[in-house]
Amino acid sequence: IWLFREAEVVVAPAGAGLMNLTFCRPGTRVLVLSNQEYQGQELWLYVCGMLGLPYFSLFGRSVTPGSNAMDADVIYDRNLFHMALEALV
């Protein structure tokens, strides 16, 4: 709880652990890393909106297309990842 409460920026993969965002202070910037095949990104957009957290997302591609989108290994474009991090700080 303390880590999320004190964070200015949260970078995390999409998943249930992001419910800890409820402990963040309004204004904490959030970058969610996700598989482009994952359906359900609107959940984190909605949660961040309700909590007053600026939301950003970065989509990667699955190493094994067609596998379970939540369990798949994902590759992200290094340049896009770097740009997203710079935009957050």
Side-chain angles (χ1 to χ4, degrees), residues 12-75:
L18 283 175
M19 287 311 294
N20 287 307
L21 293 173
T22 58
F23 301 114
C24 291
R25 291 171 287 146
T28 301
R29 296 171 304 283
V30 177
L31 173 62
V32 176
L33 305 174
S34 184
N35 185 336
Q36 65 189 7
E37 296 174 17
Y38 173 58
Q39 305 296 315
Q41 283 302 316
E42 16 347 289
L43 170 64
W44 305 118
L45 177 61
Y46 177 75
V47 168
C48 288
M50 294 294 291
L51 297 171
L53 309 176
Y55 170 84
F56 303 87
S57 60
L58 182 63
F59 295 95
R61 63 179 175 80
S62 176
V63 174
T64 52
S67 62
N68 182 335
M70 285 299 293
D71 296 330
D73 291 327
V74 180
I75 296 175

